[in-house]
């Protein structure tokens, strides 16, 4: 996310990281002998849902968080957390992002619990002893999901996972961003939420490089997939040891291995320099998925009520 030198020269290229992201395909869950990723394309188009996955006696279990962050997600996480001891829990993300302000609120809840975060898809297989859960790294964390990842006290991204960033934009104009018109009110909304996102980034221990990188990718370009070097430079990754996010009583770790992906070393080194609740319009991601309900909705196309978005 890189700030523009002038609005005339770059238009709204600084508008970029806020609400809903496009869900990407995942594998299908089955209870047969083969393991498949738990986050189907349909699940990732739905509002984010949370599930506790037990893996005793191998480890202490984890929370899977799959789907798009909506205005209901912070409240639904609060409901999910009731009666559960989630302090220091591991949260496994498979998400295309969602509402900026609601993602910030959800991320602060994660940090308040001292959560550990990683990217992956929960899979279940049938074994002689019964159904067993594990995590495959073949998953996506995009747009505001990247900032949920950042909210973890310890953060691990396995080789094979896809972490992607993009700008925020007005949701109903992202489909033809260059030809659309914008008002001063629109610019105020986006700048307000960029400020909130910047504060959140620094509060969570991220660097200005993360904001600079995301804000440099306009909605008419593909999401930028972060390389291993970029994950380190932005402080999204704090450990290369999977055991740091899956503490276990023995040598078994529920995260499956994957071949490292090719690094993509396009990195922008420039940096940017209120976590309040949304007022009126809210920001969303430039490419959205299916309707999610609530004030943060995600249609099948990026045509949404006037509000910025991020990937």
């Amino acid at each position: 996310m890189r700030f523009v030198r002038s609005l005339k020269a770059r238009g709204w290229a600084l508008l970029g990281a806020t609400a809903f992201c496009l869900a990407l395909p995942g594998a299908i869950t089955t209870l047969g002998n083969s393991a498949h990723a738990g986050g189907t394309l349909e699940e990732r188009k739905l509002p984010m849902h949370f599930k506790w996955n037990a893996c005793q006696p191998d480890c202490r279990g984890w929370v899977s968080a799959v789907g798009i962050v909506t205005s209901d997600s912070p409240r639904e996480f609060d409901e999910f957390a009731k009666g559960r001891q989630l302090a220091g829990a591991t949260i496994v993300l498979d998400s295309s992002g969602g509402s900026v302000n609601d993602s910030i609120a959800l991320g602060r809840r994660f940090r308040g619990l001292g959560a550990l975060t990683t990217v992956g898809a929960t899979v279940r297989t049938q074994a002689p002893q019964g159904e067993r859960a594990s995590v495959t790294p073949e998953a996506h964390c995009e747009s505001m999901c990247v900032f949920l990842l950042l909210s973890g006290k310890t953060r691990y991204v396995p080789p094979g996972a896809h972490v992607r960033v993009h700008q925020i934009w007005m949701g109903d104009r992202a489909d033809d961003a260059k030809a659309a018109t914008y008002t001063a009110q629109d610019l105020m909304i986006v700048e307000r939420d960029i400020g909130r996102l910047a504060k959140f980034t620094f509060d969570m221990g991220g660097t200005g490089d993360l904001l600079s990188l995301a804000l440099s990718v306009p909605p008419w370009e593909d999401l930028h997939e972060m390389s291993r070097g970029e994950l380190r430079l932005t402080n999204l990754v704090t450990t290369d040891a999977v055991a740091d996010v899956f503490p276990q009583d023995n040598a078994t770790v529920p995260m499956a291995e994957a071949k490292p992906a090719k690094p993509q070393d396009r990195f922008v080194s420039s940096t940017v320099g209120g976590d309040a609740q949304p007022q009126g319009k809210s920001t969303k991601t430039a490419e959205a998925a299916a309707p999610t309900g609530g004030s943060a909705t995600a249609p099948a196309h990026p045509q949404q009520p006037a509000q910025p978005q991020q990937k």
Side-chain angles (χ1 to χ4, degrees):
M1 303 173 155
R2 178 174 50 193
F3 284 109
V4 294
R5 294 181 179 177
S6 81
L7 289 176
K8 290 184 179 179
R10 294 287 301 277
W12 284 53
L14 65 83
L15 306 185
T18 17
F20 290 89
C21 310
L22 178 64
L24 296 183
I28 299 174
T29 300
T30 68
L31 294 179
N33 293 326
S34 59
H36 296 275
T40 65
L41 176 60
E42 288 73 23
E43 282 182 302
R44 281 146 133 213
K45 287 181 178 180
L46 296 175
M48 180 169 280
H49 59 279
F50 309 95
K51 182 175 182 178
W52 176 256
N53 302 276
C55 63
Q56 295 292 346
D58 299 328
C59 67
R60 64 183 184 183
W62 65 91
V63 176
S64 56
V66 183
I68 297 172
V69 178
T70 73
S71 60
D72 295 324
S73 298
R75 176 185 54 80
E76 290 180 355
F77 180 76
D78 289 342
E79 290 295 321
F80 168 80
K82 285 181 179 177
R84 289 186 168 93
Q85 299 298 322
L86 296 183
T90 299
I91 298 176
V92 180
L93 297 160
D94 187 12
S95 169
S96 297
S99 162
V100 168
N101 290 294
D102 296 304
S103 294
I104 290 173
L106 185 58
R108 292 201 182 277
R109 284 164 168 76
F110 291 174
R111 177 56 65 91
L113 291 169
L116 317 176
T117 53
T118 187
V119 180
T122 298
V123 299
R124 291 175 178 81
T125 55
Q126 282 289 43
Q129 300 79 12
E131 182 183 321
R132 295 180 65 86
S134 60
V135 177
T136 173
E138 297 174 356
H140 297 80
C141 185
E142 301 172 335
S143 185
M144 284 309 298
C145 175
V146 174
F147 296 89
L148 290 179
L149 174 65
L150 183 64
S151 70
K153 185 176 179 180
T154 301
R155 306 180 285 276
Y156 171 75
V157 175
H162 303 281
V163 178
R164 296 171 173 168
V165 292
H166 201 271
Q167 290 180 353
I168 65 174
W169 211 270
M170 303 306 294
D172 61 340
R173 278 154 283 184
D175 201 22
D176 194 3
K178 292 181 178 180
T181 58
Y182 306 90
T183 67
Q185 176 82 0
D186 295 332
L187 181 57
M188 180 279 294
I189 292 169
V190 175
E191 290 187 337
R192 176 200 67 191
D193 287 350
I194 288 176
R196 292 172 177 170
L197 193 60
K199 182 180 188 303
F200 176 82
T201 298
F202 299 133
D203 286 349
M204 297 298 109
T207 70
D209 291 317
L210 176 58
L211 294 165
S212 177
L213 179 60
L215 284 175
S216 71
V217 185
W220 51 84
E221 293 182 7
D222 293 338
L223 282 79
H224 171 68
E225 182 154 349
M226 298 180 69
S227 69
R228 302 303 297 184
E230 289 169 347
L231 291 172
R232 276 291 185 183
L233 284 168
T234 57
N235 211 25
L236 272 173
V237 166
T238 62
T239 181
D240 291 322
V242 62
D244 287 343
V245 294
F246 284 107
Q248 71 278 355
D249 298 327
N250 54 43
T252 302
V253 176
M255 174 74 80
E257 294 183 358
K259 294 181 180 179
K262 283 187 177 181
Q264 300 177 20
D265 288 311
R266 186 183 82 86
F267 186 74
V268 183
S269 61
S270 59
T271 61
V272 297
D275 188 20
Q277 293 300 313
Q279 301 172 2
K281 298 178 182 178
S282 63
T283 47
K284 294 186 178 182
T285 49
E287 291 181 295
T292 62
S295 62
T297 55
H301 258 299
Q303 297 180 353
Q304 313 172 41
Q307 32 195 322
Q309 303 186 342
Q310 173 196 357
K311 286 190 126 178

